[in-house]
Amino acid sequence: MITLLVNGAEHALEVPGDMPLLWVLRDRLGLPGTKFGCGIGQCGACTVLLDGTPARSCVLPVSAVAGRPVTTIEAWGDGSDVTTLHPVQQAWIEGSVAQCGYCQSAQILTAVALLAEDPDPDDAAIDRALGGVLCRCGTYPAIRRAVRRAA
């Protein structure tokens, strides 16, 4: 039995300790916002916040996160009520950032972590922080603008 703290809620789960957090989130907890990309932690699509820091959930065994706070994109609103959105999500909407949207939850979570650490990052800091989350649509300029807007 492993106890996870995901988006502020505690979950006691019977899962193998070496099961990747990604699959626990998606398959056991029904949180599809965290995406499978490469499966080796390189593309960043699976990024969640662990203790407020971006972490690749596809290579993170669930036993390593027991009892530690995990945040997924589902921690905030779905857009149907803008009062529940994180300011970064609001900036994403206002800037029409998403195209295919596949990397967006990882981009948003990484931006949230960046702004918690540096509330007024310059372009170089934004590029460094978000450089590990690949966007196949190439919306990097729009992502950068949205992070600046949220700041």
Side-chain angles (χ1 to χ4, degrees), residues 20-40:
L21 176 61
L22 171 67
W23 301 120
V24 173
L25 294 171
R26 291 181 62 81
D27 297 344
R28 302 294 173 95
L29 296 181
L31 300 171
T34 306
K35 306 297 187 204
F36 175 80
C38 65
I40 59 172

Side-chain angles (χ1 to χ4, degrees), residues 52-134:
T53 302
R56 304 296 196 251
S57 66
C58 73
V59 293
L60 190 58
V62 70
S63 61
V65 303
R68 297 169 63 192
V70 175
T71 305
T72 71
I73 196 69
E74 289 90 356
W76 302 290
D78 62 6
S80 61
D81 176 8
V82 295
T83 63
T84 62
L85 294 177
H86 189 282
V88 174
Q89 287 176 303
Q90 187 63 41
W92 243 249
I93 292 168
E94 290 169 3
S96 299
V97 173
Q99 285 189 26
C100 84
Y102 203 80
C103 70
Q104 296 307 294
S105 62
Q107 298 277 5
I108 289 169
L109 289 167
T110 303
V112 166
L114 168 65
L115 294 175
E117 183 179 305
D118 179 358
D120 189 24
D122 60 18
D123 285 349
I126 293 169
D127 292 347
R128 271 191 311 276
L130 284 101
V133 182
L134 302 180

